[in-house]
Amino acid sequence: MGYQHGDEPPCNSSANRTFYEVMEARVARRQFLMGGLATLATGLIGGGLAAKPAQAQDAAPSLLGFKSVPVGFEDRVVVPEGYRFQVLAPTGTPISGDMPAPRPGANTGAEQEHQTGQHHDGMHFFPIDGSSADGLLVVNHEYIEPRFLHAEKPAYKGQSFNAYGVAFDAEGRRDDDEVRMEIAAHGVSIYRTSRQGDGSWSVVADPRNRRITAATPVEIGGPVRGAAHVRTMFSPDGLRARGTLNNCSHGVTPWNTYLAAEENWAGYFSNTDAEHPREHARYGVPRSARGGRFAWHLARSGADEYVRFDASARAASAVEDYRNEPNTMGWMVEIDPFDPTATPIKRTHLGRFGHEGVVFAPAVPGQPVVCYSGDDARFEYIYRFVSDEAFAPGQTDGGILDRGTLYVARFNDDGGGEWLALAPGRNGLTPANGFADLADILVNTRLAADHVGATKMDRPEWGAVDPKTGAVYFTLTNNTLRTQAQVDAVNPRAANNFGQIVRWTYAGGDHTAGSFSWDLFVIAGDARNSVVANGATLNNDNIFACPDGLWFDAQSRLWIQTDMGDLGPAYEGPLKPFGMNGLLAADPATGEIKRFMTGPWGQECTGVVGTPDGRTLFVNFQHPGAHATAAQFAAGDYGSGFPDYNGGPPRSATVVITKIDGGVIGS
Ligand code: FEO
Ligand code: CA
Ligand code: CA
Ligand code: CA
């Protein structure tokens, strides 16, 4: 499968034009080859922002008032002068139940069900009563590194395990409690956090604190609710399912609920049938008996909650086995953080794919609700949902996401683009072409997008909407599989190691419009391999690669996080000049970019979000130490000490950043 730091296996075999191919028509390849990126800058980059450099020359103070930090190569967190940080709620922090104490590397499944999970990713701070000092932090736990969860257990300590390795017994089965623990280390944590008198932030016991895991009962909402595709032994009527998996980024609805994205879920299953249904094949459900990830279906007891990850046809009908279990994953899952009794709901009209996250356009009373979601795999697509009903503050709830139209993006040669509807009878999505009805289209969203001729992109990650301009930004993190024949000028690299950020706007700012105008905000890389919309190249203060997390603060600072993979101090390769993953800030109007923070060894930097007053920033460092080899692990070298630096296993954690003078972060 070739999994790497949470990315998806390539499995789009359709013949649609790639984003590179589309862009080729806008600038001759010859021009790129002769002139390099500087030529591109004048030809294409910032096509919608030609006047912007002038803004950088006027007397307005910079939006970015801090001094850039250097590229980081150490096993620590570095923030700018005048800033400080603290660690909050690393893996295993008790938040609910009897608050079981953290025992890094030794906690049980039952304990983990009341502790923060592993591999923190997207998150949001929900203020309590509007406070910027007291709120519910909702945090995704994307996946796990079993060797660190179990580092102190006999089957692991001193043994050779790489980042994905798990222990099997002599009969090839897994320990039940390890599996229970791993399932519980996935999902979402909801906990109250507040600023204390000394300025530090703490986890606070609260009845709203809860864990949602890969085993929590959920409802299936929207057009797929009750469809044949999702009927299982657990829910023969197709109304319910269990858990959420691989929650990467997230979204926040205009009615103040949280959406967790299901990204790289396919590898959690095994299907050993000779023939795979298309709803497995197009998403890369593994054919191996072991499955692609942690072999939960091989738990020794054979209990139902583990066997469900075996998606082979093992019985006479779909309601007697779990052949349809993979169809219950790949959705956006709505969670109400303020109601601990609320059952999470899979909002199926937002489509089924490798959802990175979702971002909403500013909601306008009386107008439809619009949101955008990227499918983070090589050569996959960017989607938009437009509701049928109008937004009514105080009345609208998640049900509005169950009725509307899903679209997929086509980026045209001339800097324009269209949204192509994925709906019955539209764009050839008919029974005659293999799409029986809306539920069938949604379960097979990727195939529907193939069919309508969407543009294949370079791994779409997070999106963000500029509060000042309404422009939509999306990171395209990298695509090492793109060939020279697929290269064009605006995506100017075969084997694209560094990634870029695309953005688009609408005439009149109407996010429901059928067409849009787009350009590139930045092509990432080092000084020789980069260009920003203002025509500058990146320099020592801001070189970066593999943009992933993206978030606008209230003052329109664009925060950019990097995920170059599991880089450690011994890494040698094209990403070496960029050091460790970190966080940058950009002014979208001027193109100014500065490096704000760098992190420890092995991690990716993700989950950036601030308090409403802009004076506290929360950021996650995910999978510190992931670069450690199996031999290192066996020798007790866990790759990184973050955040405890006491010889125990490294832990993913949130860091809380404040300005020492109490000012707005980034100002
Ligand atoms: Fe989980 Fe696409 O990063
Ligand atoms: Ca990740
Ligand atoms: Ca990501
Ligand atoms: Ca990523």
Side-chain angles (χ1 to χ4, degrees), residues 9 39 53 59 71 105 126 180 205 257 266 297 351 379 425 445 449 455 553 651:
T39 307
V71 172
F126 288 88
R180 178 179 173 182
T257 61
H297 58 294
F379 305 114
T445 299
T455 302
D553 67 26
R651 300 192 282 167

Side-chain angles (χ1 to χ4, degrees), residues 12 18 72 79 94 166 188 239 296 298 306 413 442 504 518 583 585 595 612 638 644:
N12 185 347
T18 64
V79 294
V166 293
V188 180
L239 303 182
W296 291 339
L298 297 178
Y306 309 131
D413 302 1
L442 294 170
W504 62 87
W518 66 270
L583 172 67
R595 187 180 305 104
Y638 297 153
D644 307 303

Side-chain angles (χ1 to χ4, degrees), residues 540-619:
N540 281 344
D541 286 340
N542 59 15
I543 60 165
F544 72 96
C546 305
D548 186 340
L550 205 59
W551 178 70
F552 272 104
D553 67 26
Q555 297 176 339
S556 265
R557 272 180 216 88
L558 179 61
W559 295 89
I560 303 167
Q561 300 181 297
T562 69
D563 174 14
M564 298 179 283
D566 310 340
L567 306 186
Y571 170 81
E572 295 290 342
L575 299 167
K576 185 171 184 176
F578 307 96
M580 297 300 108
N581 286 302
L583 172 67
L584 303 101
D587 181 340
T590 65
E592 183 182 21
I593 302 175
K594 288 183 179 179
R595 187 180 305 104
F596 181 82
M597 179 169 65
T598 61
W601 291 341
Q603 52 75 34
E604 71 170 88
C605 184
T606 185
V608 59
V609 70
T611 50
D613 66 4
R615 297 174 194 278
T616 304
L617 196 70
F618 300 92
V619 172

Side-chain angles (χ1 to χ4, degrees), residues 5-7 119 121 142-143 248 263 548 563 604 606 622-623:
H5 60 79
D7 63 356
H119 284 19
D121 206 314
E142 183 179 16
Y143 64 108
C248 198
E263 190 194 18
D548 186 340
D563 174 14
E604 71 170 88
T606 185
Q622 182 189 100
H623 59 70

Side-chain angles (χ1 to χ4, degrees), residues 145-443:
E145 193 161 329
R147 62 181 181 176
F148 292 148
L149 288 179
H150 309 308
E152 297 297 326
K153 298 174 186 174
Y156 291 82
K157 196 169 181 69
Q159 306 297 312
S160 292
F161 284 98
N162 63 22
Y164 282 90
V166 293
F168 293 93
D169 67 16
E171 294 166 314
R173 311 292 293 200
R174 295 212 55 211
D175 176 79
D176 273 55
D177 196 66
E178 282 178 23
V179 173
R180 178 179 173 182
M181 204 273 187
E182 293 165 19
I183 286 173
H186 280 73
V188 180
S189 292
I190 302 168
Y191 65 88
R192 186 174 185 175
T193 184
S194 61
R195 195 173 62 213
Q196 309 300 303
D198 64 358
S200 68
W201 287 74
S202 300
V203 175
V204 177
D206 190 277
R208 291 164 291 199
N209 291 4
R210 65 168 161 157
R211 286 299 323 281
I212 290 159
T213 75
T216 301
V218 300
E219 290 277 328
I220 297 175
V224 178
R225 180 175 173 81
H229 307 79
V230 290
R231 294 177 193 159
T232 65
M233 187 154 66
F234 175 73
S235 182
D237 54 7
L239 303 182
R240 299 168 62 238
R242 275 174 289 188
T244 183
L245 277 175
N246 213 262
N247 306 106
C248 198
S249 180
H250 69 296
V252 182
T253 67
W255 48 97
N256 210 36
T257 61
Y258 186 86
L259 287 166
E262 298 177 340
E263 190 194 18
N264 294 322
W265 46 271
Y268 290 78
F269 296 96
S270 161
N271 180 350
T272 55
D273 294 346
E275 295 286 320
H276 274 199
R278 64 182 187 169
E279 60 268 22
H280 292 193
R282 182 63 177 81
Y283 295 87
V285 171
R287 293 179 177 277
S288 75
R290 184 197 181 284
R293 288 276 173 119
F294 311 116
W296 291 339
H297 58 294
L298 297 178
R300 166 160 286 284
S301 67
D304 183 72
E305 64 261 38
Y306 309 131
V307 168
R308 71 187 178 102
F309 294 100
D310 180 352
S312 311
R314 293 178 292 113
S317 78
V319 296
E320 298 168 88
D321 62 23
Y322 288 105
R323 72 188 68 176
N324 283 337
E325 192 76 355
N327 301 345
T328 71
M329 296 291 173
W331 308 105
M332 295 296 317
V333 188
E334 186 176 21
I335 295 166
D336 184 349
F338 290 97
D339 179 1
T341 68
T343 302
I345 303 176
K346 303 214 172 185
R347 295 296 180 190
T348 60
H349 215 147
L350 302 188
R352 174 172 174 260
F353 45 90
H355 278 281
E356 175 71 18
V358 65
V359 61
F360 285 76
V364 180
Q367 297 295 313
V369 166
V370 179
C371 58
Y372 302 93
S373 185
D375 184 352
D376 178 14
R378 303 172 183 102
F379 305 114
E380 293 297 344
Y381 307 119
I382 294 176
Y383 297 85
R384 178 183 73 169
F385 174 84
V386 180
S387 70
D388 283 347
E389 293 152 33
F391 177 59
Q395 297 173 37
T396 292
D397 63 19
I400 199 171
L401 299 177
D402 292 342
R403 295 168 294 278
T405 306
L406 185 66
Y407 299 83
V408 66
R410 182 168 65 201
F411 291 80
N412 291 332
D413 302 1
D414 58 359
E418 274 94 45
W419 291 108
L420 307 168
L422 304 178
R426 298 182 68 178
N427 296 307
L429 298 175
T430 62
N433 286 328
F435 298 95
D437 54 22
L438 180 56
D440 197 31
I441 289 169
L442 294 170
V443 170

Side-chain angles (χ1 to χ4, degrees), residues 54-64 587 590 592:
Q55 292 186 11
Q57 294 161 12
D58 67 25
S62 170
L63 192 62
L64 312 178
D587 181 340
T590 65
E592 183 182 21

